[in-house]
Every structure is written in structure tokens, then in C-alpha cells.
Amino acid sequence: MQLQDLQFVSHTFRSPLPGPKLIITGAVHGNEICGTLAIRRLLEQLQSGALQLISGQLTLVPVCNPLAYAKGERQGDRNLNRRLIPTGHVQEFEDHVANWLCPLLAAHDVLLDLHSFRGAGEPFVLVGPENNQGEIEPFRHAEAELAMAARLGVQRMVDGWLSTYAHGVARRQLALAPDADAKTRANADTRFGVGTTEYMRSVGGYAVTLECGQHEDPQAADVAWRAIDNTLRHLGLIAGSPPDLQTQIETLRIYDVIDKQHQDDVFCRDWYSFDTVSAGDLIGTRADGTAVRASMDGRIIFPDAAAGAGEEWFYITRYSDRLAGVV
């Protein structure tokens, strides 16, 4: 496919009355189409007049990565949700995407980013850090972000992504060989952990990633649609009763990322996101025979048996009380 055959498309609707500026994105990864389907459903309703904004601004991006979407694969040249930063040194198609998408994100207050995942599992939402003025991910909209996340209609929430990723990067930097190639060096850069939501927070907004279900599950598009409808009503962009606050949400915090050190590192079994682990449980074995065990009770997430050497192999989460007091 030629570059000139691809185009970036967004649709913006504005009410005469003031309100939040919301952007909803789909197909950051080209094989994750549940968000695309739900966004196009919303687009049809807005264009037909069946639904109308009563305040604020809404931008819809059904397909963020048109190359990956056209291929029906996760990425075009690389993972768009890593190192999502505008650049004057364009090398990969995703750099073109970043130079278009990042200014669009920065023009909004709130992002709802819709994804799906490869294995079986229940939908969940990823949120950012607590309010802080630290170097990794300073933030000041935690209350608003959690209030939105708790109204999407899912029963599980995860936080701690970028801070944990930074810890993993620190380990990679210590192990970095002087002759490491460009890809390996990129993996050892904290900016490689920046995706859509991290970028949105870096420019003053707030954002959530909703993992709506398994890629091919038709119900994933329904999860995405419910989340869109709930978000629009929660923010007051469309008429309707505010969505209920979900009170039975399991909250988890990522506390460690474990990389593959060698291509022959293997899991001891087929792992799926949110499988329970107890301290000491065997998770896998290194190529040299070293056992990899859980360091504490929690759940495994994002296990990737196909990861390459030096890439993220799996993450471990522990239970948290992050939603206590959210209204």
C-alpha cells in the first residue's frame, strides 16, 4: 500500500453552548475494530440528527492508524501506542500518525480510547496516576478521570502503567550493550511507554483506555458503545440521565513488568490477562533454567508468549483501593 493511498480522518461536532471537549478514538491498533464500529454507529446518529450535542465539542476518530487498519494487523511499521510523540524526523508511518494525532489530542480536554485484546477475558479500563508533580507523569485531574472510568460500565480497573514501565526501562538501561541496535535502544527509553492516554495527560487533559474485550467478540463493540453513551451523558454532552457509578469494581495496580531476556524464555502454561497468581507461583522459565516466580499475590496481565528478547513478557498487578471515595 502506498502512502498516498492513506488518509487521516476525524469528525468534529460543536454545540453553541460551552462544555467539555471530548475526543473518542478507535483502531489505534489496526486489528482492534470494536471502537471503530461503535464510533461509526455514533457518527451515523449524529449525522442523521437522531442524536444531538447539547453542549461542548465532540471529535470522533474511527481509525487512528489507517495503515495498520488496512493491513488488519496490530501495527503498520511499529506499535502506535509506544513513543507517541510528534517528530520532525519521520522514519515510520506511525510518526506521520503522531504528527497528525497529537495536536488533535492536545486540542481537547478528555480522551476515551477504545481497544480490544487478543486472548479471552473481561473488559477493563486503564487509568492514569494519582495527582502528583513528579517527573514521570505529573497529573492534576485524577478525580475527574476516575469518576469517568467508574461510569463506563465495566467491572475492573487498572492503573500504574507508566511508572511501572519506567522501572522496567531502568532495568533495560542497565543491561544495554554498547553495540545495541536502534530498536533495543528505543525499548530502553521511557518515552517508549507513551501512548494516546499518556500523551493526553502530558498536554493537560485526562484520558482512559477501555479494553472492550477479545478482538473478534461481537460483544466488544457493544461494550464500546455503552461506554461512549455513558461518557457523553456523564460529561453532559448529550441529553439523558447521568450514568450510574459502578460500585463493584475490582481495582488493580501494576507493580512490575518482566521482560523476556532470551527468545527461549517460556511460560510454564498458557497465561491470560487477570489470571490469579500467589506469591511463589511459577510463571515461566528462563532459557538458562532459572525459574520466574510471582513475587506477591495478585493477577498477571498482558502475558505475551510471542514477545521478543528484550521486550515486555508480562506484567504483575496487586489489589488496590484506588476508587475509595470516588463520586
Side-chain angles (χ1 to χ4, degrees), residues 195-272:
T196 51
T197 53
E198 292 77 25
Y199 185 81
M200 188 69 180
R201 296 183 196 106
S202 77
V203 293
Y206 64 93
V208 300
T209 295
L210 180 64
E211 297 281 357
C212 300
Q214 199 273 338
H215 295 329
E216 287 81 27
D217 186 351
Q219 293 185 11
D222 294 332
V223 172
W225 172 256
R226 182 175 67 235
I228 288 172
D229 180 64
N230 285 356
T231 299
L232 292 172
R233 289 186 288 117
H234 170 63
L235 295 176
L237 269 64
I238 64 171
S241 302
D244 293 334
L245 174 72
Q246 299 289 315
T247 57
Q248 301 298 318
I249 298 181
E250 181 181 73
T251 55
L252 299 162
R253 175 159 295 176
I254 305 171
Y255 71 85
D256 204 4
V257 54
I258 306 300
D259 291 345
K260 259 194 178 180
Q261 296 176 356
H262 190 280
Q263 192 62 47
D264 293 333
D265 293 351
V266 294
F267 287 131
C268 67
R269 47 160 282 196
D270 290 333
W271 290 103
Y272 299 97

Side-chain angles (χ1 to χ4, degrees), residues 117-145:
F117 44 82
R118 182 170 51 190
E122 296 297 319
F124 64 98
V125 58
L126 283 155
V127 300
E130 297 169 296
N131 290 333
N132 73 94
Q133 296 182 0
E135 294 183 4
I136 295 175
E137 194 174 17
F139 192 47
R140 59 186 178 87
H141 298 298
E143 293 83 2
E145 191 173 276

Side-chain angles (χ1 to χ4, degrees), residues 35-220:
T36 302
L37 296 173
I39 290 170
R40 286 177 174 162
R41 177 179 171 184
L42 176 62
L43 184 59
E44 290 177 2
Q45 293 200 7
L46 289 166
Q47 290 176 332
S48 70
L51 195 65
Q52 185 173 354
L53 291 190
I54 61 172
S55 71
Q57 176 179 310
L58 173 64
T59 296
L60 305 177
V61 186
V63 176
C64 286
N65 192 334
L67 176 58
Y69 184 77
K71 293 167 62 178
E73 298 175 0
R74 180 174 175 80
Q75 60 192 50
D77 295 327
R78 64 171 170 85
N79 186 348
L80 179 60
N81 235 11
R82 300 288 188 275
R83 205 174 74 248
L84 184 69
I85 301 170
T87 179
H89 185 51
V90 174
Q91 294 182 299
E92 299 165 308
F93 180 75
E94 280 75 8
D95 293 328
H96 289 290
V97 181
N99 286 341
W100 164 70
L101 183 60
C102 289
L104 192 60
L105 293 173
H108 293 78
D109 305 317
V110 188
L111 165 66
L112 173 61
D113 191 22
L114 300 167
H115 288 251
S116 59
F117 44 82
R118 182 170 51 190
E122 296 297 319
F124 64 98
V125 58
L126 283 155
V127 300
E130 297 169 296
N131 290 333
N132 73 94
Q133 296 182 0
E135 294 183 4
I136 295 175
E137 194 174 17
F139 192 47
R140 59 186 178 87
H141 298 298
E143 293 83 2
E145 191 173 276
L146 290 177
M148 174 178 162
R151 290 171 169 84
L152 296 179
V154 298
Q155 304 299 314
R156 181 174 283 138
M157 188 193 81
V158 178
D159 74 356
W161 160 257
L162 196 55
S163 58
T164 302
Y165 195 89
H167 292 315
V169 163
R171 285 200 295 262
R172 290 174 198 160
Q173 290 172 343
L174 289 174
L176 199 62
D179 60 348
D181 59 24
K183 180 180 179 182
T184 302
R185 291 188 179 278
N187 284 344
D189 186 335
T190 305
R191 293 175 301 172
F192 198 65
V194 173
T196 51
T197 53
E198 292 77 25
Y199 185 81
M200 188 69 180
R201 296 183 196 106
S202 77
V203 293
Y206 64 93
V208 300
T209 295
L210 180 64
E211 297 281 357
C212 300
Q214 199 273 338
H215 295 329
E216 287 81 27
D217 186 351
Q219 293 185 11

